[in-house]
């Protein structure tokens, strides 16, 4: 089983609709990092859509999610990759030893923006009930916030600006990794040009 010390991957976390896949792909292409989207890998490797997994049950999906995350990390080994997690991956304790907080960037998008994006989406099994979505978001924010870097994005951040901001965060993490610097358990909230 790969350990956090062996994997050189950086992970994107955040709620459904926060842009992990879209921004991750664009930023990885610009930095010439190999990119994986965990949900896409699950669908590809199981030959089942996420909706089909959820028809079995959520625990069934979580088992597949964990198994494929393990598989992916053992295949990528020490190669630095960018991996967009599913919105629930980092929340589930079984995955936490595989995704150390010092390698995670949290895409923090205001709830009303997420709500609007999710209302227009039909393919996410957990996004169908607006009240459930709000509850889930409230439960998860404290956990997402344990990431090394919180990238606060607003409705004003268009695709290009959000990608540029993510690139700044990725460069910072890659720099830390190259020098063996962890975040010492401290969370940084980053906008471009500001670090707190
Ligand atoms: C989930 C988020 C989804 C997907 C699955 C469960 C969640 O990924 O993994 O439907 O628990 O939040 P996205 O965050 O990419 O939509």
């Amino acid at each position: 089983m790969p350990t956090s010390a062996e994997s050189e991957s950086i992970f994107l976390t955040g709620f459904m609709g926060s842009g992990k896949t879209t921004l991750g792909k664009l930023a990885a292409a610009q930095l010439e990092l190999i990119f994986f989207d965990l949900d896409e890998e699950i669908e590809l490797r199981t030959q089942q859509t996420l909706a089909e997994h959820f028809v079995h049950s959520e625990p069934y999906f979580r088992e597949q999610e964990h198994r494929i995350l393990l598989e992916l990390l053992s295949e990528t080994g020490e190669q630095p990759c960018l991996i967009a997690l599913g919105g629930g991956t980092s929340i589930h304790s079984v995955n936490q030893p595989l995704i150390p907080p010092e390698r995670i960037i949290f895409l923090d998008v205001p709830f009303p923006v997420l709500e609007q994006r999710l209302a227009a989406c039909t393919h996410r099994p957990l996004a169908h009930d607006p009240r459930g979505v709000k509850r889930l978001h409230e439960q998860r924010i404290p956990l997402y916030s344990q990431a090394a870097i919180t990238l606060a994005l607003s409705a004003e951040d268009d695709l290009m600006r959000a990608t540029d901001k993510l690139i700044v965060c990725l460069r910072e993490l890659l720099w830390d990794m190259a020098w063996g610097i962890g975040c010492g358990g401290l969370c940084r909230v980053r906008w471009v040009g500001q670090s707190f």
Side-chain angles (χ1 to χ4, degrees):
M1 177 169 127
T3 65
S4 49
E6 286 160 8
S7 168
E8 289 297 321
S9 292
I10 294 178
F11 303 93
L12 296 181
T13 195
F15 204 67
M16 293 173 277
S18 57
K20 302 179 293 291
T21 306
T22 309
L23 300 179
K25 270 184 190 160
L26 291 169
Q30 287 199 42
L31 292 176
E32 295 184 4
L33 281 172
I34 298 166
F35 177 79
F36 291 100
D37 178 79
L38 184 58
D39 286 339
E40 284 176 10
E41 290 300 314
I42 295 170
E43 292 195 332
L44 195 74
R45 293 170 190 234
T46 61
Q47 289 295 299
Q48 278 188 311
T49 63
L50 296 194
E52 284 166 341
H53 285 273
F54 273 83
V55 167
H56 282 271
S57 64
E58 184 173 343
Y60 174 81
F61 167 73
R62 298 295 168 198
E63 266 176 43
Q64 307 306 312
E65 181 181 48
H66 176 63
R67 183 174 65 76
I68 285 160
L69 177 62
L70 264 175
E71 229 174 74
L72 193 57
L73 292 179
S74 59
E75 285 165 16
T76 53
E78 292 178 19
Q79 201 167 29
C81 299
L82 179 63
I83 301 180
L85 300 171
T89 319
S90 64
I91 303 300
H92 288 266
S93 56
V94 69
N95 298 322
Q96 287 164 359
L98 304 174
I99 42 180
E102 61 270 21
R103 297 280 174 78
I104 306 180
I105 298 173
F106 163 36
L107 302 186
D108 188 12
V109 173
F111 185 70
V113 178
L114 294 172
E115 212 176 12
Q116 214 174 15
R117 290 181 189 167
L118 293 176
C121 142
T122 51
H123 72 274
R124 287 184 168 98
L126 292 181
H128 295 151
D129 162 29
R131 270 186 305 182
V133 166
K134 180 142 187 55
R135 210 171 35 241
L136 208 56
H137 184 261
E138 283 166 3
Q139 285 166 359
R140 287 178 174 182
I141 286 295
L143 296 160
Y144 291 143
S145 303
Q146 291 170 9
I149 295 182
T150 294
L151 172 57
L153 295 169
S154 75
E156 282 73 52
D157 288 311
D158 61 18
L159 203 55
M160 214 167 95
R161 218 160 83 144
T163 307
D164 287 345
K165 288 183 175 186
L166 177 57
I167 288 172
V168 171
C169 296
L170 285 166
R171 287 212 167 105
E172 185 173 335
L173 266 198
L174 288 164
W175 173 267
D176 285 358
M177 284 160 66
W179 288 95
I181 306 166
C183 288
L186 288 177
C187 269
R188 284 172 289 185
V189 177
R190 177 162 281 288
W191 291 267
V192 171
Q194 284 178 285
S195 182
F196 297 90

